[in-house]
Amino acid sequence: MAIFVVLAKEPSPQLGAKIAQLYPGDNHYKINDDQWLVSADKLASTISTDLEFPGGKAGVSGVVFPISGKGWGWHNTTLWEWLTLKGASK
């Protein structure tokens, strides 16, 4: 499955709930109140549509980007474990 980062313009509990509903269990990882990782066999445009970003239906502006690799930085170890579980490489 591909990994995507979902970035909202501002925190949105409604968007977080929708992500959890559409990508249940370990298919999403909340980084922050306005940032998530999603694992899905979809395109970024499809995820954006599923989250209702086009046309402002989500109630918050946001973007979806595919990512490759684990990235680099300092964060909670569960983030790195999630990325490893989902097959992200260095």
Side-chain angles (χ1 to χ4, degrees), residues 1-3 24-28 38-39 81-88:
M1 281 199 225
I3 299 172
D26 69 349
N27 289 314
H28 73 281
V38 169
S39 176
E81 291 167 352
W82 187 89
L83 286 166
T84 299
L85 175 71
K86 294 302 174 182

Side-chain angles (χ1 to χ4, degrees), residues 40-88:
D41 284 327
K42 296 184 175 185
L43 299 172
S45 59
T46 304
I47 293 172
S48 178
T49 300
D50 290 348
L51 296 176
E52 300 182 317
F53 284 145
K57 294 178 187 173
V60 64
S61 297
V63 294
V64 179
F65 295 104
I67 61 170
S68 61
K70 273 190 180 177
W72 199 257
W74 181 263
H75 203 281
N76 187 318
T77 57
T78 59
L79 170 78
W80 305 112
E81 291 167 352
W82 187 89
L83 286 166
T84 299
L85 175 71
K86 294 302 174 182

Side-chain angles (χ1 to χ4, degrees), residues 29-46:
Y29 181 90
K30 180 180 175 180
I31 298 173
N32 205 331
D33 289 339
D34 57 359
Q35 304 168 358
W36 298 265
L37 295 174
V38 169
S39 176
D41 284 327
K42 296 184 175 185
L43 299 172
S45 59
T46 304

